[in-house]
Amino acid sequence: MRCPYCRHPDSRVVDSREHDEGQVIRRRRACPECGRRFTTVEEATLAVIKRSGVTEPFSRTKVISGVRRACQGRPVDEDALAQLAQTVEEAIRATGAAEIASDDVGLAILGPLRQLDEVAYLRFASVYQAFTSVEDFEKAILDFRREHRAEGRADPPAPER
């Protein structure tokens, strides 16, 4: 690491500390040439490749805003949304890839959202998976019912009309 004061091409690490669950590393360094100390911050970046080919940094805020729209009018609080976004980011980082397709981000959202709120899941999935007909919704609901039965839970109650 080049010294920002004397531009010497080398420095030694005096102290390292992790922040944000190991996603950020703060290093205190010393220059052997001028003796001054400075701090560097290293962060593992995660990039999302959009369908258009544009690459942008992963953003928990964007995950939360997309899921918030699906949860509109549902009993889901901000803490649950923040937890979902953290879960999604952890799942994506666990792949070890520095770049991930936006479709994979959507897939990573679907699982935790389904556990959080089934109606919000259907709303999100209808946009993400481009539902084009009532049959698409019916199929998703039938899948829910099959899973509920497989888990030994009762079917969700049918809506009153």
Side-chain angles (χ1 to χ4, degrees), residues 85-151:
Q86 180 177 341
T87 300
V88 169
E89 183 174 0
E90 288 170 358
I92 291 170
R93 286 192 185 275
T95 66
E99 293 183 335
I100 188 161
S102 60
D103 288 341
D104 294 335
V105 174
L107 285 174
I109 291 170
L110 287 174
L113 182 56
R114 187 172 189 164
Q115 296 298 316
L116 181 64
D117 188 281
E118 291 178 347
V119 172
Y121 166 83
L122 282 172
R123 289 175 178 171
F124 188 88
S126 71
V127 173
Y128 174 73
Q129 295 175 337
F131 286 11
T132 58
S133 66
V134 172
E135 289 79 23
D136 292 337
F137 281 96
E138 288 174 342
K139 181 186 177 310
I141 292 169
L142 286 173
D143 290 344
F144 273 134
R145 289 197 171 132
R146 273 190 223 107
E147 287 178 21
H148 277 266
R149 284 186 206 116
E151 294 170 357

